[in-house]
Amino acid sequence: MKKAYDKVEWDFLQSVLLKLGFSEKWVNLVLSCLKTVSYSLVINGAIKGKVVPFRGIRQRDPLSPALFILCSQALSAVIAHVEQQGLINGIRVKNRSEPMTHLLFTDDCCLFFELKLEEVCSLKDCVDLYCRASGQAINFKKSSVSFSLNMAMRFRRWFSLILKVSYIKGPSKYLGLPTDFGVSEAALFQELADKVGQRFSGWKNWLLSHAGKEIMLKSVALSMGNYANSHFKLPASHHSQIRKEATSFFWGDGSDKQKIHWIAWHRLCRSKDNSGLGFRDPELQNKVLLSRMAWRLWNELDSMWGRFMKAIYFPKGDFLSVRLGAHPSWA
């Protein structure tokens, strides 16, 4: 969506909150937080003029993300209604899995449909209806449409013109994680290791004490890969590189000379009660975060994600009894 927060209509927001069952008094309190805002311009150090908004929600306000997600439920409701009427079928990854029509993540929306003219037009009408009601607008420059490999080029161009969206192979990354697993696993995550290495080289560690280095390692460097660690089992070479750069930064002084590592890394990873510094080893951290996702998959089978994974990987058993497939996904 284009300028997603700035284009939300207040009347639409009020109608959605009331439809979702919130009390009218509470809805009025929320709207008063939005409608009583005004902005002033500072020109040459002096306050000039006053701007009073008539729509939109403020960015960096802790209430705004929740309000925007609730507004997005209107789009989900419209698509679900059309799906119940049989105008949209969505797609199935496996024949036994549930059909998917859309996935929402903040201001991003992934729509799935069969390549039929009626279905494409119905889906386009749903989005247009939501945009007219909410005030939202699609950012066509950042939008794209992807097709299956067996689709003829003339049909790709035709449906691209209907949707007014350019067609590409598909994004290679989303939220910083790869979506195309065609290369080696080590090369796939080399960029993540390079980003961590750039942080180490960018810090002037000769100006930091060991206590300062400890804080920088714990709060920034060793936590940069947590999102990727939650979804992928990263290769051992990746963890070894991170571990090597972390120890060199902790014991180094900014020069190219190799310094003595007075204490082994595994001892630094012990808790402070056990004479360590409490560093988190990258490989163990990866296993812990994956175990957390595995616990969610075992415990939240009623969620859409749980039902989707169960239909693909363990349709007849449970997560704890499933065996490793012949060609498992890296994700």
Side-chain angles (χ1 to χ4, degrees), residues 166-320:
S166 60
Y167 63 92
I168 59 174
K169 180 182 178 183
S172 59
K173 288 187 177 182
Y174 185 68
L175 300 178
L177 296 184
T179 59
D180 187 2
F181 308 146
V183 297
S184 67
E185 194 173 8
L188 196 64
F189 297 99
Q190 185 59 41
E191 184 178 351
L192 176 61
D194 293 340
K195 285 183 179 180
V196 178
Q198 290 173 4
R199 287 297 182 96
F200 286 128
S201 60
W203 291 332
K204 298 179 180 179
N205 57 355
W206 64 88
L207 299 178
L208 295 172
S209 63
H210 280 96
K213 294 178 182 179
E214 175 190 347
I215 294 175
M216 297 294 277
L217 282 172
K218 289 181 178 179
S219 60
V220 181
L222 296 180
S223 61
M224 285 182 64
N226 282 352
Y227 190 65
N229 285 332
S230 299
H231 298 82
F232 293 89
K233 184 180 181 181
L234 302 184
S237 59
H238 172 86
H239 298 311
S240 178
Q241 181 178 351
I242 300 298
R243 194 181 298 114
K244 180 179 179 181
E245 292 179 351
T247 52
S248 298
F249 171 79
F250 186 75
W251 297 109
D253 58 359
S255 63
D256 296 333
K257 295 181 180 180
Q258 185 70 25
K259 297 295 182 179
I260 298 176
H261 300 174
W262 294 102
I263 302 176
W265 173 257
H266 70 275
R267 293 180 60 186
L268 292 176
C269 292
R270 296 176 182 174
S271 64
K272 291 188 176 182
D273 294 336
N274 293 326
S275 304
L277 290 179
F279 288 149
R280 295 179 177 178
D281 184 74
E283 186 173 1
L284 293 178
Q285 178 78 348
N286 190 188
K287 291 182 179 180
V288 168
L289 292 175
L290 287 177
S291 300
R292 177 176 176 270
M293 297 299 290
W295 180 86
R296 285 189 56 194
L297 182 58
W298 178 64
N299 194 53
E300 299 177 5
L301 275 180
D302 293 335
S303 64
M304 179 181 178
W305 173 64
R307 297 195 305 270
F308 175 79
M309 298 294 284
K310 178 176 175 59
I312 295 177
Y313 293 108
F314 49 101
K316 297 181 180 180
D318 59 2
F319 175 72
L320 297 180

Side-chain angles (χ1 to χ4, degrees), residues 89-100 112 114 308:
N89 297 316
I91 64 171
R92 297 176 184 267
V93 178
K94 294 276 189 177
N95 291 331
R96 56 179 176 262
S97 65
E98 298 179 8
M100 286 193 302
F112 307 96
E114 294 180 1
F308 175 79

Side-chain angles (χ1 to χ4, degrees), residues 66-177:
L67 295 178
F68 185 81
I69 291 173
L70 291 176
C71 288
S72 300
Q73 294 300 314
L75 177 59
S76 296
V78 171
I79 296 177
H81 178 68
V82 176
E83 184 183 6
Q84 290 176 358
Q85 295 178 334
L87 300 177
I88 294 178
N89 297 316
I91 64 171
R92 297 176 184 267
V93 178
K94 294 276 189 177
N95 291 331
R96 56 179 176 262
S97 65
E98 298 179 8
M100 286 193 302
T101 56
H102 64 288
L103 294 173
L104 301 178
F105 184 82
T106 60
D107 60 342
D108 289 342
C109 180
C110 298
L111 305 174
F112 307 96
F113 50 89
E114 294 180 1
L115 219 54
K116 299 177 181 178
L117 182 59
E118 298 82 4
E119 189 161 339
V120 173
C121 292
S122 298
L123 197 61
K124 188 174 183 297
D125 292 340
C126 292
V127 178
D128 291 340
L129 175 63
Y130 171 73
C131 290
R132 289 195 304 269
S134 64
Q136 298 287 335
I138 299 175
N139 192 337
F140 289 102
K141 293 183 179 179
K142 293 184 178 180
S143 301
S144 62
V145 57
S146 301
F147 300 88
S148 57
L149 297 177
N150 58 353
M151 180 56 56
M153 188 60 65
R154 65 179 184 275
F155 290 112
R156 299 188 186 192
R157 287 193 288 263
W158 185 39
F159 282 103
S160 178
L161 290 174
I162 294 175
L163 295 171
K164 299 180 182 179
V165 177
S166 60
Y167 63 92
I168 59 174
K169 180 182 178 183
S172 59
K173 288 187 177 182
Y174 185 68
L175 300 178
L177 296 184

